[in-house]
Amino acid sequence: MAAPLDGIKVLDLSWVMVGPVSARYLADLGAEVIKVESTSRIDPLRTLPPFKDAQFGLERSLSYHNLNAGKKSLTLDLKDPRGRKVVLRLARWADVVVESFAPRVLADLGLTFETLQRERADLIMVSTSIAGRTGPYANQTRGVGTNGAALAGASFLIGWPDRTPVGPFGPWTDSVAPRFVVPSILAALRRRQQTGQGLFIDVAQSEAGLQFLAPAALEHATNGTIPQRRGPTSPHRVPHGVFPCRGEDRWVAIDASSDRHWQALRGGVGGALSNARYDTLLGRLRARDEIERLIGEWTADREAVQVEIALQELGVPAHVVCRAADLATDPHLEAAGHLRWFEDPNLGRGAIEGPRFELLATGTVQTRRGPGIGEHTAEVLRDVCGYSEEEISEMTSQGVLK
Amino acid sequence: MLSDLRVLELSAPETMLAGQTLGDLGADVIVVEPPAGAAGRRLEPFVDEVPGLERSLTWHAFNRNKRGMTLDLGSADGRALLADLAERADVVIGAAGPDADPLEIVAVAAERNPRLVRCAIRPFARSGPKSNYASSDLILVAASGSLGMSGDPDRAPIPFPVPQAMLEASGEAVIGVLAALVARERTGEGQQVEISNRLAALLPGFGQAMVIPSGNQEPTRSGGTLSLAGVQIPSTFVCADGYVVVSIAFGPAFGPMTGRLAEWLAEEGTVPAETAAVDWVAFGLGLMTGAAEPEPLRSLVEGVEVLCRRLSKEELAAAARERGLLVAPAMDMADLYRSLQYRERGLWAELEIGTTGRTVEAPARFGHFSDYRIEVRRPAPGLSQHTVELLRDELRLSPTEIQSLYIHGVF
């Protein structure tokens, strides 16, 4: 079976994470994705680590390759009206346009949905931003995913009660928003297959992030309380948490709070855990500190992976708290072939992540590397936009294609 | 938008948001639970901290826009009824683990209904290493690489207080299901969609799996603090009434905002004029090459600390908007509900909290569309609320048959 989005054309005007990740899902599903870049306006993602062999280079960022796998890159100066004309031609070609410009930029470029829809009535366009494209603060709110995490409520909720909150790892809302952007695009594509309608989609990273915190929002709305940070402890479960293991900053996660798992854990570990006071959940809740200390003493002497294996053999939910080295040697990730290797003219051999879903009948396309900056400029102008060699030369000498 | 679709969701914590997102986009979603209620109903927080099958706010948060029925899938009748419903459905979503695979029940339906899209969410994999691992949300978050990079480095890593792995799985499931439905428009056939919860959970790890294979050293935890040329740059600062997240970055894309931040600090007198005169666009590169000294950066960070302490979250947010700064208050849930931006965008919608008789505002809209609006058509269903209606209207069972099934515990 052909890939689900075989024949679908995507114009990716976005940069950094949310838009590109979303467009990559479409590439993985078989769409042809053209990304517009500029040498005078470098995608910050090209400057984000990890770099191949820790050497900085605009073509050496694995983050860039990972989020732009399988796309073509065309360089255009969007400040030049001739550059904007090329984008208009591409917008006519595209079934889907993805953008993440700062507020007002799109209108200044003359590339609003209203304008583009005149070129193509069934256009599907996605606008992604921190705060959204409507609302009193839309035009003034800038941010990256760490700011998005703050505006979504995540930063406040994670940390120790006796310290400044530390928030989630990384630009968190960048990883949540695509889970809502992509379904919106796919639902719109499906509707278009049936009715021929287009759609404009506006997803705010802050609003997407809040979806993943909805229980905390409802807790406030219903109970009138303001959820606070509480460290790693779950008040209702013992043992449930991370325990220190041998080595520097090594931890194992154990969830043995249920009856069945608790019996299995203490059966395997023995020792002071066999105390009859810990037979019941209530007993364990009341002796939380002791139990956590005893388990921590048991794990502290052991390698995290040994604890994981030993406890899983007993049927107890446990896993190394993975860091980069753990993920690099993880048997599940290896067997799943999650890392996809590629050859690149600029950085040699590289590995990026594969898709996170499997469609058993249609499959996804083979994971390819991300493009070099402007790598496909001539090809796209000629084959997609229909410019002649002369027109392309002229644009080059006029500095439009940078 | 998806109003022609019928979705059967075999409820598990990992399926809830998937069913709801499809429901939000217009699909007719039926969530199937065991007679004693789905595991999702036993997740905190609870209304007024009093637990009960209709009082889980996590259940209410992730099960709107669905009808709900119960079926004992351990009984022959329960399995047969599910297969009958699946024959008439477009999508079935379920979570499978080492102990149970509810989708095996619908395998029969798939033969009779080749258009059916079946989505299985598994903790790790169908087969191979870790396929029989005992799992839970904490375990999957641990396996994802994001937990290992979280929290202050001198203490234990800290997971989110709201379980995340189940939501990551749902996020991928919706994408897989919709992709299969797009394919079906062309081919006329459904298919099996497999989601590894562990792979889904890797996304907020931002590529940790690539670090070592690309020839890099394993990064250490930093608690959100960047260390640059001996200067510690925190990301969260104390302010007068809480906390604020400030991003200090360089280069052409973000340097200008750091420049404007420095100007503001100079106006307010918390940094000297020289700090505001620095070329913050070039500063990062300068530090790396040794062309720039770290002192202005130290001055900048101290200036941010001093100014933030003087100002409230609202004042800092207003300044960020007026001046175009990468500054965002660490909003708490009360702040979120007060925010004019969220309110005027239409984020909130009225949601009944089941049988409690209460109605609250829920953050019901993950996106806005030009000709479609996400609405709360139904609150989360009560336990078995629609079973009789579905057995009667969908499967045309008689009252006697329905009562008999109930008497025998099939629902």
Side-chain angles (χ1 to χ4, degrees):
Chain A
M1 250 197 234
L5 299 188
D6 185 46
I8 295 293
K9 306 178 216 103
V10 180
L11 175 60
D12 183 3
L13 298 174
S14 69
W15 76 357
V16 205
M17 293 203 185
V18 178
V21 171
S22 304
R24 182 189 159 174
Y25 274 99
L26 305 180
D28 284 343
L29 288 168
E32 182 182 0
V33 182
I34 292 176
K35 183 179 170 81
V36 173
E37 302 193 67
S38 174
T39 51
S40 58
R41 191 183 161 259
I42 302 280
D43 186 343
L45 190 60
R46 286 186 176 277
T47 68
L48 287 186
F51 298 99
K52 177 75 195 287
D53 297 330
Q55 278 173 49
F56 178 87
L58 295 178
E59 304 291 5
R60 298 181 67 86
S61 161
L62 276 313
S63 290
Y64 179 86
H65 280 279
N66 198 26
L67 274 40
N68 292 283
K71 301 179 190 173
K72 296 187 178 140
S73 169
L74 153 79
T75 40
L76 284 176
D77 181 358
L78 293 187
K79 293 194 281 296
D80 188 320
R82 290 163 298 196
R84 294 201 289 278
K85 278 184 81 176
V86 177
V87 172
L88 267 174
R89 213 183 261 213
L90 282 167
R92 237 181 279 145
W93 162 87
D95 297 292
V96 180
V97 175
V98 180
E99 70 88 13
S100 65
F101 289 112
R104 282 187 306 266
V105 169
L106 209 58
D108 291 347
L109 294 176
L111 298 174
T112 59
F113 180 64
E114 289 68 36
T115 309
L116 296 181
Q117 217 195 8
R118 273 182 245 134
E119 302 286 328
R120 183 168 183 159
D122 63 347
L123 176 68
I124 294 164
M125 182 166 179
V126 179
S127 224
T128 140
S129 56
I130 284 290
R133 295 302 186 200
T134 60
Y137 305 153
N139 285 341
Q140 297 170 301
T141 306
R142 313 291 197 86
V144 292
T146 26
N147 310 113
L151 296 175
S155 307
F156 182 80
L157 281 173
I158 299 173
W160 296 87
D162 64 333
R163 290 180 169 184
T164 300
V166 64
F169 168 63
W172 178 66
T173 53
D174 282 327
S175 69
V176 183
R179 272 21 187 306
F180 294 101
V181 168
V182 180
S184 301
I185 295 171
L186 293 174
L189 279 169
R190 182 174 178 275
R191 185 177 78 166
R192 200 184 70 163
Q193 281 169 315
Q194 296 166 332
T195 67
Q197 283 168 279
L199 187 72
F200 177 71
I201 300 162
D202 168 2
V203 173
Q205 279 192 44
S206 52
E207 293 176 349
L210 180 55
Q211 303 304 311
F212 276 32
L213 298 172
L218 290 192
E219 189 179 356
H220 170 65
T222 313
N223 297 347
T225 52
I226 299 180
Q228 301 290 323
R229 60 195 180 285
R230 60 172 198 221
T233 314
S234 166
H236 309 101
R237 296 170 179 80
V238 180
H240 176 280
V242 297
F243 297 89
C245 296
R246 191 190 298 164
E248 183 68 38
D249 202 21
R250 299 294 290 157
W251 305 83
V252 67
I254 301 174
D255 180 358
S257 183
S258 76
D259 219 46
R260 174 178 139 213
H261 293 141
W262 171 247
Q263 297 310 329
L265 173 73
R266 80 197 306 206
V269 173
L273 292 183
S274 311
N275 189 325
R277 274 193 300 128
Y278 312 149
D279 285 353
T280 60
L281 173 62
L282 286 184
R284 292 196 292 283
L285 285 172
R286 290 162 184 167
R288 172 190 289 280
D289 291 347
E290 278 168 58
I291 291 176
E292 288 175 356
R293 183 181 48 83
L294 287 169
I295 294 177
E297 280 167 8
W298 183 76
T299 60
D301 272 342
R302 291 168 164 79
E303 300 286 336
V305 69
Q306 296 307 326
V307 175
E308 172 189 317
I309 291 171
L311 291 183
Q312 285 287 355
E313 259 160 35
L314 298 167
V316 176
H319 203 283
V320 171
V321 176
C322 287
R323 304 262 302 280
D326 303 301
L327 296 178
T329 55
D330 186 280
H332 161 240
L333 293 182
E334 261 182 62
H338 183 60
L339 277 188
R340 307 291 166 96
W341 291 87
F342 60 88
E343 288 295 330
D344 176 83
N346 291 296
L347 59 76
R349 223 164 105 77
I352 55 177
E353 298 182 271
R356 298 165 216 288
F357 56 84
E358 253 188 285
L359 300 174
L360 296 194
T362 53
T364 46
V365 301
Q366 189 195 7
T367 300
R368 294 151 292 167
R369 62 178 174 83
I373 186 166
E375 181 180 346
H376 305 92
T377 302
E379 172 193 323
V380 169
L381 290 173
R382 190 186 56 231
D383 301 338
V384 175
C385 300
Y387 290 108
S388 67
E389 292 297 340
E390 279 161 0
E391 288 170 305
I392 297 173
S393 302
E394 217 192 310
M395 281 192 266
T396 312
S397 57
Q398 286 167 353
V400 179
L401 306 177
K402 59 176 172 64
Chain B
M1 284 209 291
L2 301 179
S3 55
D4 64 321
L5 287 182
R6 161 66 61 80
V7 177
L8 282 183
E9 180 202 329
L10 308 181
S11 185
E14 305 90 318
T15 65
M16 297 193 294
L17 180 58
Q20 180 170 276
T21 303
L22 292 171
D24 284 349
L25 289 170
D28 174 19
V29 181
I30 297 168
V31 60
V32 181
E33 307 178 54
R41 289 180 184 274
R42 290 184 180 266
L43 293 176
E44 74 277 26
F46 298 100
V47 177
D48 294 338
E49 302 209 347
V50 173
L53 290 172
E54 304 299 345
R55 302 177 69 87
S56 159
L57 292 168
T58 296
W59 176 261
H60 287 290
F62 296 125
N63 286 278
R64 64 172 180 263
N65 289 331
K66 304 177 192 177
R67 283 185 289 173
M69 72 182 301
T70 53
L71 280 179
D72 174 13
L73 298 183
S75 70
D77 282 272
R79 288 194 295 276
L81 290 168
L82 180 65
D84 287 343
L85 285 167
E87 246 187 280
R88 293 156 171 75
D90 296 287
V91 180
V92 179
I93 302 176
D99 300 332
D101 189 346
L103 287 175
E104 276 167 13
I105 299 164
V106 304
V108 170
E111 281 166 45
R112 290 187 238 151
N113 175 8
R115 289 174 59 78
L116 185 65
V117 172
R118 294 96 57 201
C119 179
I121 299 174
R122 297 177 206 275
F124 287 85
R126 245 180 316 170
S127 60
K130 307 196 179 180
S131 57
N132 59 353
Y133 260 29
S135 182
S136 76
D137 210 273
L138 176 67
I139 264 53
L140 290 164
V141 165
S144 75
S146 57
L147 181 60
M149 291 298 286
S150 75
D152 293 323
D154 63 333
R155 291 185 180 178
I158 305 182
F160 277 67
V162 173
Q164 294 293 294
M166 67 185 194
L167 304 176
E168 308 281 355
S170 269
E172 288 297 321
V174 179
I175 291 171
V177 162
L178 285 171
L181 288 168
V182 168
R184 189 180 80 167
E185 287 294 310
R186 258 186 276 180
T187 65
E189 285 177 27
Q191 65 185 295
Q192 180 98 351
V193 178
E194 285 283 330
I195 305 294
S196 160
N197 198 342
R198 197 271 182 95
L199 291 186
L202 288 175
L203 193 60
F206 297 104
Q208 287 294 299
M210 304 184 306
V211 168
I212 304 292
S214 59
N216 287 274
Q217 288 199 328
E218 184 174 80
T220 51
R221 282 200 290 157
S222 67
T225 295
L226 185 60
S227 192
L228 214 55
V231 182
Q232 301 294 100
I233 313 172
S235 49
T236 311
F237 294 82
V238 176
C239 68
D241 60 349
Y243 306 95
V244 63
V245 172
V246 178
S247 300
I248 294 173
F250 317 107
F254 305 120
M257 289 180 266
T258 303
R260 293 197 288 272
L261 175 66
E263 275 166 26
W264 182 37
L265 298 176
E267 275 173 45
E268 296 291 328
T270 67
V271 298
E274 302 90 77
T275 303
V278 168
D279 176 359
W280 292 102
V281 172
F283 188 79
L285 194 58
L287 268 190
M288 277 203 296
T289 59
E293 289 298 312
E295 189 47 45
L297 184 56
R298 196 168 288 126
S299 160
L300 185 72
V301 173
E302 281 169 16
V304 170
E305 271 169 13
V306 170
L307 185 59
C308 285
R309 280 184 191 275
R310 274 190 223 159
L311 300 175
S312 68
K313 284 180 283 185
E314 191 39 58
E315 286 170 319
L316 286 158
R321 290 191 297 268
E322 280 150 27
R323 296 169 179 268
L325 307 175
L326 288 177
V327 169
M331 296 178 77
D332 64 31
M333 288 300 150
D335 294 326
L336 274 140
Y337 275 82
R338 275 194 296 263
S339 155
L340 285 180
Q341 174 66 7
Y342 286 132
R343 191 153 293 283
E344 289 189 30
R345 257 175 77 73
L347 171 64
W348 310 108
E350 298 268 296
L351 179 72
E352 283 169 55
I353 302 298
T355 53
T356 62
R358 277 191 246 199
T359 302
V360 302
E361 289 188 309
R365 299 187 175 95
F366 61 76
H368 293 273
F369 309 93
S370 49
D371 66 10
Y372 176 79
R373 195 161 137 97
I374 294 172
E375 300 291 1
V376 178
R377 303 186 312 274
R378 305 175 180 277
L383 183 62
S384 205
Q385 184 177 347
H386 303 98
T387 311
V388 171
E389 154 191 330
L390 288 163
L391 294 178
R392 181 189 64 219
D393 300 338
E394 296 293 321
L395 300 182
R396 306 249 168 264
L397 301 187
S398 71
T400 303
E401 289 171 327
I402 293 173
Q403 290 169 68
S404 184
L405 289 169
Y406 180 78
I407 288 162
H408 290 83
V410 176
F411 72 88

